[in-house]
Amino acid sequence: MIKPISKLCATLLLAGLLLTSFTLHAAEENITAAKVLSLTNPVNTYGVQIGDKLSRKIVLEVPVPYKIAEGAFPKKGSKSNGVELVDVNVITDQQKAHTLYTVNLSYQAFTNPNKPTVMQLPAEKLALTGGTKAEALEVPAWGFWLSPIVTGGIETAQKNIQPDAMPPLVDIRAHKTRLGVFLSMLIASLLGLLYMNADGNWLPFMGGAFAKAHRQLKRMAKSTAAKTAVEEKQALVYVHQAFNQHYGANMFARDIEHFVSLRPSFKKMKTEIAAFFDASNQSLYAVEPRNSQKIIADLAQLSKQLRDCERGV
């Protein structure tokens, strides 16, 4: 009775060991089940020429604890049969049970055959690390037709060389006209400002009697010397001389109405002209000391206003 029971136990033990082995093997298979979720190749497999960029996008799913080491990805600058890898971009998304790798590869063909040729983007093999055994994911090659830029050799190219096309000429006559108008307006504006504000007589009609009187009075007012009654009377003489020159005779206060009728541009200064003649009479007959410094400065300002009337501004 003991021997059959021992055989039964041994059989059950052996079955349990076999079942455990199969379970562990299946679990390990599930753990290492890394896969390519998607592979996006270029749209066209024809019409590719030298220098064209061809891009591939690969999405990989790698279960934990496996991973793809950084050094396992293709290296930028690597070449294979006339195709160069010019850009590599890897995006890693770590999740609970697995890691997603999005790999963007950009290639360029740097060969120029004489006739259409079949070429391919190289297959890639990505080694996995972190597990109990060596694993790798394989990305298949992708074929395409490379078309020559021209058929034939250098002789054919030399025969078909075209001269450089001259760029079309731009008609700038309208721009020249506008530029001329704008320059004329600028020059006229500058001359106008110069005419209205300059103390010199560089332009015609700038050397009038009041312009000359204003230069003399301005020079006298800027002098640092003390002003006396003598300088004050001389300043009054400058203005009187300018009035006399415009009037054509010696001008007095009673002649103001006649003067502004002859020179309408001075009409707006009629009140100031009358005040000047009144102040001049007071200066000639005054016996008390006066502020000659202020009187000369006021006469310089008055002469500037009369100069503007003289210039019609």
Side-chain angles (χ1 to χ4, degrees):
M1 296 295 294
I2 296 175
K3 291 182 179 180
I5 293 174
S6 299
K7 290 182 178 180
L8 177 61
C9 292
T11 303
L12 292 174
L13 179 60
L14 180 61
L17 291 173
L18 289 174
L19 180 60
T20 302
S21 176
F22 287 134
T23 302
L24 292 174
H25 182 72
E28 187 176 357
E29 289 294 328
N30 289 332
I31 289 176
T32 59
K35 57 185 176 180
V36 178
L37 290 183
S38 66
L39 174 59
T40 305
N41 288 312
V43 177
N44 296 325
T45 59
Y46 57 89
V48 181
Q49 294 185 333
I50 182 173
D52 289 350
K53 183 174 285 189
L54 303 172
S55 299
R56 308 182 83 184
K57 180 179 179 181
I58 310 164
V59 180
L60 309 171
E61 182 182 273
V62 179
V64 175
Y66 286 91
K67 63 180 180 179
I68 302 177
E70 184 177 349
F73 292 103
K75 298 296 186 294
K76 180 180 177 180
S78 59
K79 299 178 182 179
S80 175
N81 298 324
V83 175
E84 180 179 350
L85 181 60
V86 295
D87 190 27
V88 179
N89 181 35
V90 180
I91 301 173
T92 304
D93 181 12
Q94 181 67 56
Q95 299 184 8
K96 185 177 180 180
H98 58 266
T99 305
L100 290 179
Y101 295 91
T102 303
V103 184
N104 294 288
L105 305 175
S106 294
Y107 299 88
Q108 279 183 298
F110 288 104
T111 183
N112 187 32
N114 294 329
K115 59 183 180 179
T117 304
V118 176
M119 299 184 67
Q120 63 180 15
L121 301 184
E124 304 291 352
K125 188 173 183 180
L126 307 175
L128 304 180
T129 60
T132 58
K133 62 178 181 177
E135 295 286 340
L137 282 173
E138 294 188 3
V139 180
W142 180 79
F144 62 94
W145 283 92
L146 182 71
S147 300
I149 297 177
V150 294
T151 57
I154 188 63
E155 296 81 7
T156 305
Q158 289 176 342
K159 291 178 182 178
N160 290 276
I161 291 177
Q162 299 295 321
D164 293 336
M166 293 293 293
L169 299 178
V170 178
D171 188 359
I172 61 172
R173 288 176 296 181
H175 299 294
K176 285 184 176 180
T177 302
R178 294 191 191 98
L179 180 60
V181 171
F182 292 148
L183 287 177
S184 301
M185 293 173 62
L186 177 62
I187 293 172
S189 300
L190 292 175
L191 291 177
L193 290 172
L194 184 65
Y195 180 74
M196 289 186 291
N197 298 295
D199 292 332
N201 57 344
W202 303 296
L203 294 175
F205 312 111
M206 289 181 63
F210 282 108
K212 181 179 179 182
H214 176 64
R215 289 196 296 272
Q216 292 169 324
L217 289 167
K218 187 177 179 181
R219 192 180 306 115
M220 182 181 291
K222 287 184 175 180
S223 174
T224 57
K227 305 299 185 295
T228 63
V230 176
E231 283 83 5
E232 178 184 337
K233 288 181 173 56
Q234 181 60 53
L236 291 169
V237 169
Y238 289 146
V239 180
H240 277 292
Q241 287 176 342
F243 275 116
N244 294 341
Q245 188 171 344
H246 273 282
Y247 189 58
N250 289 335
M251 179 177 166
F252 300 97
R254 63 176 180 268
D255 301 318
I256 294 176
E257 288 292 342
H258 189 217
F259 174 76
V260 296
S261 65
L262 293 175
R263 306 286 185 183
S265 61
F266 289 87
K267 189 173 183 179
K268 62 183 179 181
M269 292 290 294
K270 182 178 177 180
T271 303
E272 287 81 358
I273 293 172
F276 163 74
F277 278 95
D278 182 58
S280 178
N281 290 332
Q282 293 179 19
S283 177
L284 289 174
Y285 300 107
V287 293
E288 297 180 359
R290 293 159 56 86
N291 188 349
S292 299
Q293 181 80 29
K294 183 177 183 306
I295 292 173
I296 293 174
D298 291 343
L299 288 174
Q301 181 61 30
L302 176 65
S303 64
K304 182 179 184 300
Q305 294 174 309
L306 293 171
R307 184 199 67 183
D308 293 340
C309 295
E310 181 180 65
R311 293 179 178 177
V313 297

